mmCIF file of all heavy atoms in Angstrom:
data_model
loop_
_atom_site.group_PDB
_atom_site.id
_atom_site.type_symbol
_atom_site.label_atom_id
_atom_site.label_comp_id
_atom_site.label_asym_id
_atom_site.label_seq_id
_atom_site.Cartn_x
_atom_site.Cartn_y
_atom_site.Cartn_z
ATOM 1 N N GLN A 78 0.777 -1.193 0.018
ATOM 2 C CA GLN A 78 -0.021 0.021 0.032
ATOM 3 C C GLN A 78 0.828 1.295 0.013
ATOM 4 O O GLN A 78 0.348 2.341 0.242
ATOM 5 C CB GLN A 78 -0.963 -0.032 1.214
ATOM 6 C CG GLN A 78 -1.895 -1.173 1.214
ATOM 7 C CD GLN A 78 -2.963 -1.036 2.314
ATOM 8 O OE1 GLN A 78 -3.540 0.067 2.472
ATOM 9 N NE2 GLN A 78 -3.196 -2.134 3.062
ATOM 10 N N GLY A 79 2.126 1.104 -0.263
ATOM 11 C CA GLY A 79 3.020 2.300 -0.342
ATOM 12 C C GLY A 79 3.668 2.706 0.917
ATOM 13 O O GLY A 79 4.248 3.789 0.986
ATOM 14 N N LEU A 80 3.614 1.896 1.965
ATOM 15 C CA LEU A 80 4.240 2.243 3.245
ATOM 16 C C LEU A 80 5.740 2.459 3.076
ATOM 17 O O LEU A 80 6.363 1.612 2.492
ATOM 18 C CB LEU A 80 3.971 1.158 4.240
ATOM 19 C CG LEU A 80 4.428 1.421 5.681
ATOM 20 C CD1 LEU A 80 3.662 2.590 6.260
ATOM 21 C CD2 LEU A 80 4.272 0.216 6.582
ATOM 22 N N GLY A 81 6.207 3.591 3.579
ATOM 23 C CA GLY A 81 7.655 3.875 3.513
ATOM 24 C C GLY A 81 8.084 4.574 2.263
ATOM 25 O O GLY A 81 9.245 4.968 2.081
ATOM 26 N N ILE A 82 7.118 4.861 1.395
ATOM 27 C CA ILE A 82 7.435 5.528 0.080
ATOM 28 C C ILE A 82 6.938 7.005 0.155
ATOM 29 O O ILE A 82 5.920 7.265 0.721
ATOM 30 C CB ILE A 82 6.720 4.799 -1.075
ATOM 31 C CG1 ILE A 82 7.224 3.421 -1.218
ATOM 32 C CG2 ILE A 82 6.908 5.599 -2.408
ATOM 33 C CD1 ILE A 82 8.739 3.299 -1.539
ATOM 34 N N VAL A 83 7.752 7.918 -0.408
ATOM 35 C CA VAL A 83 7.389 9.328 -0.517
ATOM 36 C C VAL A 83 7.145 9.660 -1.993
ATOM 37 O O VAL A 83 7.993 9.446 -2.804
ATOM 38 C CB VAL A 83 8.460 10.216 0.083
ATOM 39 C CG1 VAL A 83 8.087 11.694 -0.117
ATOM 40 C CG2 VAL A 83 8.698 9.903 1.546
ATOM 41 N N VAL A 84 5.923 10.238 -2.271
ATOM 42 C CA VAL A 84 5.568 10.567 -3.634
ATOM 43 C C VAL A 84 5.540 12.120 -3.700
ATOM 44 O O VAL A 84 4.934 12.795 -2.821
ATOM 45 C CB VAL A 84 4.199 10.007 -3.991
ATOM 46 C CG1 VAL A 84 3.790 10.474 -5.379
ATOM 47 C CG2 VAL A 84 4.197 8.475 -3.930
ATOM 48 N N ALA A 85 6.108 12.698 -4.711
ATOM 49 C CA ALA A 85 6.129 14.182 -4.886
ATOM 50 C C ALA A 85 5.285 14.548 -6.100
ATOM 51 O O ALA A 85 5.205 13.846 -7.059
ATOM 52 C CB ALA A 85 7.526 14.649 -5.028
ATOM 53 N N SER A 86 4.616 15.671 -5.938
ATOM 54 C CA SER A 86 3.851 16.270 -7.069
ATOM 55 C C SER A 86 4.411 17.602 -7.440
ATOM 56 O O SER A 86 4.766 18.424 -6.610
ATOM 57 C CB SER A 86 2.405 16.428 -6.568
ATOM 58 O OG SER A 86 1.669 17.329 -7.507
ATOM 59 N N MET A 87 4.546 17.787 -8.747
ATOM 60 C CA MET A 87 4.884 19.133 -9.289
ATOM 61 C C MET A 87 3.670 19.583 -10.110
ATOM 62 O O MET A 87 3.436 19.110 -11.246
ATOM 63 C CB MET A 87 6.165 19.080 -10.143
ATOM 64 C CG MET A 87 7.415 18.820 -9.347
ATOM 65 S SD MET A 87 8.948 18.789 -10.368
ATOM 66 C CE MET A 87 8.976 20.472 -10.934
ATOM 67 N N ASP A 88 2.890 20.445 -9.517
ATOM 68 C CA ASP A 88 1.592 20.770 -10.076
ATOM 69 C C ASP A 88 1.099 22.075 -9.567
ATOM 70 O O ASP A 88 1.918 22.978 -9.179
ATOM 71 C CB ASP A 88 0.564 19.653 -9.760
ATOM 72 C CG ASP A 88 -0.474 19.456 -10.815
ATOM 73 O OD1 ASP A 88 -1.318 20.419 -11.009
ATOM 74 O OD2 ASP A 88 -0.553 18.416 -11.446
ATOM 75 N N SER A 89 -0.222 22.229 -9.487
ATOM 76 C CA SER A 89 -0.788 23.503 -8.911
ATOM 77 C C SER A 89 -0.733 23.599 -7.415
ATOM 78 O O SER A 89 -1.221 24.568 -6.880
ATOM 79 C CB SER A 89 -2.231 23.663 -9.447
ATOM 80 O OG SER A 89 -3.027 22.505 -8.923
ATOM 81 N N GLY A 90 -0.164 22.576 -6.784
ATOM 82 C CA GLY A 90 -0.132 22.487 -5.340
ATOM 83 C C GLY A 90 -0.953 21.317 -4.870
ATOM 84 O O GLY A 90 -1.451 20.533 -5.666
ATOM 85 N N VAL A 91 -1.166 21.280 -3.566
ATOM 86 C CA VAL A 91 -2.015 20.243 -3.021
ATOM 87 C C VAL A 91 -2.725 20.872 -1.773
ATOM 88 O O VAL A 91 -2.094 21.648 -1.033
ATOM 89 C CB VAL A 91 -1.180 19.007 -2.567
ATOM 90 C CG1 VAL A 91 -2.100 17.974 -1.842
ATOM 91 C CG2 VAL A 91 -0.430 18.389 -3.662
ATOM 92 N N SER A 92 -3.995 20.547 -1.587
ATOM 93 C CA SER A 92 -4.715 21.032 -0.429
ATOM 94 C C SER A 92 -4.266 20.230 0.769
ATOM 95 O O SER A 92 -4.573 19.029 0.890
ATOM 96 C CB SER A 92 -6.205 20.897 -0.680
ATOM 97 O OG SER A 92 -6.950 21.212 0.547
ATOM 98 N N GLY A 93 -3.561 20.883 1.712
ATOM 99 C CA GLY A 93 -3.115 20.163 2.906
ATOM 100 C C GLY A 93 -4.180 19.802 3.851
ATOM 101 O O GLY A 93 -3.924 18.983 4.764
ATOM 102 N N SER A 94 -5.385 20.339 3.693
ATOM 103 C CA SER A 94 -6.465 20.030 4.611
ATOM 104 C C SER A 94 -7.474 19.068 4.032
ATOM 105 O O SER A 94 -8.483 18.751 4.712
ATOM 106 C CB SER A 94 -7.224 21.321 5.015
ATOM 107 O OG SER A 94 -7.754 21.934 3.849
ATOM 108 N N HIS A 95 -7.219 18.519 2.846
ATOM 109 C CA HIS A 95 -8.190 17.619 2.262
ATOM 110 C C HIS A 95 -8.253 16.344 3.123
ATOM 111 O O HIS A 95 -7.250 15.769 3.491
ATOM 112 C CB HIS A 95 -7.751 17.261 0.850
ATOM 113 C CG HIS A 95 -8.824 16.539 0.050
ATOM 114 N ND1 HIS A 95 -9.208 15.231 0.299
ATOM 115 C CD2 HIS A 95 -9.576 17.008 -0.998
ATOM 116 C CE1 HIS A 95 -10.122 14.901 -0.591
ATOM 117 N NE2 HIS A 95 -10.410 16.002 -1.366
ATOM 118 N N PRO A 96 -9.457 15.881 3.482
ATOM 119 C CA PRO A 96 -9.614 14.750 4.348
ATOM 120 C C PRO A 96 -8.943 13.436 3.832
ATOM 121 O O PRO A 96 -8.616 12.546 4.664
ATOM 122 C CB PRO A 96 -11.098 14.571 4.531
ATOM 123 C CG PRO A 96 -11.703 15.293 3.382
ATOM 124 C CD PRO A 96 -10.750 16.449 3.101
ATOM 125 N N ASP A 97 -8.830 13.264 2.531
ATOM 126 C CA ASP A 97 -8.226 12.114 2.006
ATOM 127 C C ASP A 97 -6.673 12.208 1.901
ATOM 128 O O ASP A 97 -5.996 11.225 1.538
ATOM 129 C CB ASP A 97 -8.715 11.804 0.609
ATOM 130 C CG ASP A 97 -10.078 11.120 0.610
ATOM 131 O OD1 ASP A 97 -10.202 10.134 1.418
ATOM 132 O OD2 ASP A 97 -11.016 11.553 -0.092
ATOM 133 N N LEU A 98 -6.109 13.411 2.238
ATOM 134 C CA LEU A 98 -4.672 13.635 2.021
ATOM 135 C C LEU A 98 -3.971 14.201 3.217
ATOM 136 O O LEU A 98 -2.717 14.120 3.303
ATOM 137 C CB LEU A 98 -4.478 14.610 0.819
ATOM 138 C CG LEU A 98 -4.916 14.074 -0.571
ATOM 139 C CD1 LEU A 98 -4.867 15.213 -1.544
ATOM 140 C CD2 LEU A 98 -4.028 12.907 -1.024
ATOM 141 N N ALA A 99 -4.713 14.801 4.154
ATOM 142 C CA ALA A 99 -4.096 15.541 5.244
ATOM 143 C C ALA A 99 -3.146 14.650 6.052
ATOM 144 O O ALA A 99 -2.048 15.146 6.446
ATOM 145 C CB ALA A 99 -5.158 16.124 6.134
ATOM 146 N N ASP A 100 -3.508 13.446 6.339
ATOM 147 C CA ASP A 100 -2.699 12.605 7.191
ATOM 148 C C ASP A 100 -1.432 12.100 6.514
ATOM 149 O O ASP A 100 -0.482 11.630 7.185
ATOM 150 C CB ASP A 100 -3.487 11.397 7.690
ATOM 151 C CG ASP A 100 -4.587 11.763 8.651
ATOM 152 O OD1 ASP A 100 -4.517 12.908 9.252
ATOM 153 O OD2 ASP A 100 -5.542 11.010 8.855
ATOM 154 N N GLN A 101 -1.399 12.120 5.193
ATOM 155 C CA GLN A 101 -0.232 11.538 4.451
ATOM 156 C C GLN A 101 0.845 12.614 4.147
ATOM 157 O O GLN A 101 1.902 12.219 3.632
ATOM 158 C CB GLN A 101 -0.674 10.892 3.165
ATOM 159 C CG GLN A 101 -1.606 9.704 3.361
ATOM 160 C CD GLN A 101 -3.043 10.135 3.283
ATOM 161 O OE1 GLN A 101 -3.578 10.846 4.096
ATOM 162 N NE2 GLN A 101 -3.711 9.687 2.189
ATOM 163 N N TRP A 102 0.544 13.925 4.406
ATOM 164 C CA TRP A 102 1.570 14.909 4.146
ATOM 165 C C TRP A 102 2.760 14.658 5.105
ATOM 166 O O TRP A 102 2.531 14.486 6.274
ATOM 167 C CB TRP A 102 1.032 16.338 4.343
ATOM 168 C CG TRP A 102 2.073 17.389 4.019
ATOM 169 C CD1 TRP A 102 2.907 17.445 2.957
ATOM 170 C CD2 TRP A 102 2.394 18.514 4.825
ATOM 171 N NE1 TRP A 102 3.689 18.540 2.979
ATOM 172 C CE2 TRP A 102 3.396 19.221 4.132
ATOM 173 C CE3 TRP A 102 1.898 19.023 6.010
ATOM 174 C CZ2 TRP A 102 3.928 20.397 4.640
ATOM 175 C CZ3 TRP A 102 2.457 20.210 6.487
ATOM 176 C CH2 TRP A 102 3.475 20.899 5.806
ATOM 177 N N ARG A 103 3.971 14.574 4.550
ATOM 178 C CA ARG A 103 5.140 14.286 5.395
ATOM 179 C C ARG A 103 5.358 15.374 6.399
ATOM 180 O O ARG A 103 5.810 15.131 7.556
ATOM 181 C CB ARG A 103 6.389 14.111 4.524
ATOM 182 C CG ARG A 103 7.626 13.628 5.344
ATOM 183 C CD ARG A 103 8.760 13.327 4.425
ATOM 184 N NE ARG A 103 9.282 14.501 3.704
ATOM 185 C CZ ARG A 103 10.358 14.468 2.865
ATOM 186 N NH1 ARG A 103 10.899 13.307 2.568
ATOM 187 N NH2 ARG A 103 10.756 15.555 2.286
ATOM 188 N N GLY A 104 5.074 16.627 6.089
ATOM 189 C CA GLY A 104 5.185 17.728 7.036
ATOM 190 C C GLY A 104 6.617 18.278 7.131
ATOM 191 O O GLY A 104 7.571 17.593 6.841
ATOM 192 N N GLY A 105 6.710 19.534 7.579
ATOM 193 C CA GLY A 105 7.995 20.171 7.741
ATOM 194 C C GLY A 105 8.375 21.041 6.532
ATOM 195 O O GLY A 105 7.753 20.970 5.511
ATOM 196 N N THR A 106 9.443 21.809 6.718
ATOM 197 C CA THR A 106 9.898 22.708 5.661
ATOM 198 C C THR A 106 10.468 21.969 4.483
ATOM 199 O O THR A 106 10.612 22.595 3.401
ATOM 200 C CB THR A 106 10.971 23.645 6.216
ATOM 201 O OG1 THR A 106 12.073 22.907 6.782
ATOM 202 C CG2 THR A 106 10.404 24.559 7.312
ATOM 203 N N ASN A 107 10.734 20.725 4.607
ATOM 204 C CA ASN A 107 11.305 19.891 3.463
ATOM 205 C C ASN A 107 10.220 19.116 2.794
ATOM 206 O O ASN A 107 10.494 18.139 2.048
ATOM 207 C CB ASN A 107 12.392 18.980 3.931
ATOM 208 C CG ASN A 107 11.867 17.863 4.830
ATOM 209 O OD1 ASN A 107 10.834 18.022 5.441
ATOM 210 N ND2 ASN A 107 12.568 16.745 4.956
ATOM 211 N N SER A 108 8.993 19.554 2.939
ATOM 212 C CA SER A 108 7.858 18.841 2.299
ATOM 213 C C SER A 108 6.914 19.677 1.467
ATOM 214 O O SER A 108 5.924 19.266 0.972
ATOM 215 C CB SER A 108 7.046 18.116 3.399
ATOM 216 O OG SER A 108 7.836 17.126 4.075
ATOM 217 N N TRP A 109 7.264 20.964 1.358
ATOM 218 C CA TRP A 109 6.463 21.900 0.530
ATOM 219 C C TRP A 109 7.354 22.990 0.034
ATOM 220 O O TRP A 109 8.173 23.573 0.751
ATOM 221 C CB TRP A 109 5.301 22.476 1.370
ATOM 222 C CG TRP A 109 4.589 23.622 0.763
ATOM 223 C CD1 TRP A 109 4.665 24.942 1.049
ATOM 224 C CD2 TRP A 109 3.639 23.548 -0.330
ATOM 225 N NE1 TRP A 109 3.876 25.722 0.219
ATOM 226 C CE2 TRP A 109 3.219 24.845 -0.603
ATOM 227 C CE3 TRP A 109 3.155 22.505 -1.112
ATOM 228 C CZ2 TRP A 109 2.329 25.178 -1.654
ATOM 229 C CZ3 TRP A 109 2.255 22.808 -2.112
ATOM 230 C CH2 TRP A 109 1.842 24.100 -2.393
ATOM 231 N N PHE A 110 7.227 23.258 -1.281
ATOM 232 C CA PHE A 110 8.067 24.315 -1.870
ATOM 233 C C PHE A 110 7.281 25.121 -2.907
ATOM 234 O O PHE A 110 6.679 24.558 -3.820
ATOM 235 C CB PHE A 110 9.273 23.685 -2.563
ATOM 236 C CG PHE A 110 10.203 24.651 -3.271
ATOM 237 C CD1 PHE A 110 10.730 25.751 -2.599
ATOM 238 C CD2 PHE A 110 10.588 24.483 -4.596
ATOM 239 C CE1 PHE A 110 11.583 26.678 -3.207
ATOM 240 C CE2 PHE A 110 11.405 25.394 -5.237
ATOM 241 C CZ PHE A 110 11.926 26.492 -4.568
ATOM 242 N N ASP A 111 7.262 26.438 -2.737
ATOM 243 C CA ASP A 111 6.668 27.375 -3.664
ATOM 244 C C ASP A 111 7.723 28.305 -4.214
ATOM 245 O O ASP A 111 8.170 29.224 -3.511
ATOM 246 C CB ASP A 111 5.559 28.136 -2.959
ATOM 247 C CG ASP A 111 4.893 29.212 -3.899
ATOM 248 O OD1 ASP A 111 5.302 29.292 -5.065
ATOM 249 O OD2 ASP A 111 3.978 29.909 -3.456
ATOM 250 N N PRO A 112 8.277 28.080 -5.411
ATOM 251 C CA PRO A 112 9.342 28.904 -5.947
ATOM 252 C C PRO A 112 9.033 30.338 -6.164
ATOM 253 O O PRO A 112 9.922 31.199 -6.309
ATOM 254 C CB PRO A 112 9.680 28.178 -7.288
ATOM 255 C CG PRO A 112 8.501 27.497 -7.666
ATOM 256 C CD PRO A 112 7.831 27.013 -6.395
ATOM 257 N N TYR A 113 7.714 30.695 -6.196
ATOM 258 C CA TYR A 113 7.297 32.082 -6.347
ATOM 259 C C TYR A 113 7.150 32.848 -5.044
ATOM 260 O O TYR A 113 6.953 34.030 -5.060
ATOM 261 C CB TYR A 113 5.969 32.109 -7.122
ATOM 262 C CG TYR A 113 5.970 31.289 -8.394
ATOM 263 C CD1 TYR A 113 5.373 30.024 -8.403
ATOM 264 C CD2 TYR A 113 6.561 31.761 -9.502
ATOM 265 C CE1 TYR A 113 5.434 29.247 -9.580
ATOM 266 C CE2 TYR A 113 6.535 31.047 -10.702
ATOM 267 C CZ TYR A 113 6.017 29.788 -10.748
ATOM 268 O OH TYR A 113 6.035 29.013 -11.869
ATOM 269 N N GLY A 114 7.249 32.085 -3.930
ATOM 270 C CA GLY A 114 7.090 32.746 -2.607
ATOM 271 C C GLY A 114 5.716 33.266 -2.325
ATOM 272 O O GLY A 114 5.509 34.124 -1.430
ATOM 273 N N GLU A 115 4.690 32.767 -2.994
ATOM 274 C CA GLU A 115 3.298 33.189 -2.752
ATOM 275 C C GLU A 115 2.656 32.470 -1.597
ATOM 276 O O GLU A 115 1.812 32.998 -0.844
ATOM 277 C CB GLU A 115 2.454 32.943 -4.007
ATOM 278 C CG GLU A 115 2.898 33.773 -5.200
ATOM 279 C CD GLU A 115 2.205 33.469 -6.475
ATOM 280 O OE1 GLU A 115 1.838 32.254 -6.648
ATOM 281 O OE2 GLU A 115 1.995 34.373 -7.309
ATOM 282 N N HIS A 116 3.038 31.224 -1.378
ATOM 283 C CA HIS A 116 2.504 30.388 -0.252
ATOM 284 C C HIS A 116 3.625 29.565 0.288
ATOM 285 O O HIS A 116 3.823 28.399 -0.093
ATOM 286 C CB HIS A 116 1.350 29.491 -0.744
ATOM 287 C CG HIS A 116 0.248 30.241 -1.400
ATOM 288 N ND1 HIS A 116 -0.774 30.899 -0.782
ATOM 289 C CD2 HIS A 116 0.041 30.487 -2.769
ATOM 290 C CE1 HIS A 116 -1.554 31.463 -1.608
ATOM 291 N NE2 HIS A 116 -1.128 31.189 -2.859
#
């Protein structure tokens, strides 16, 4: 089921509060990057 694997997305972002995704975000400053500095 993917245990121990980290998947990255390069897209429009991800909703960190989505109920199907919130618990799987790795968390921390090394888990989210916005090159434009908007978020």
Side-chain angles (χ1 to χ4, degrees):
Q78 298 188 47
L80 186 64
I82 298 298
V83 177
V84 178
S86 165
M87 291 182 65
D88 209 296
S89 60
V91 178
S92 173
S94 61
H95 194 287
D97 280 314
L98 296 171
D100 291 341
Q101 296 95 291
W102 182 46
R103 186 173 66 180
T106 57
N107 66 337
S108 298
W109 169 254
F110 179 53
D111 178 0
Y113 308 100
E115 296 173 327
H116 305 277

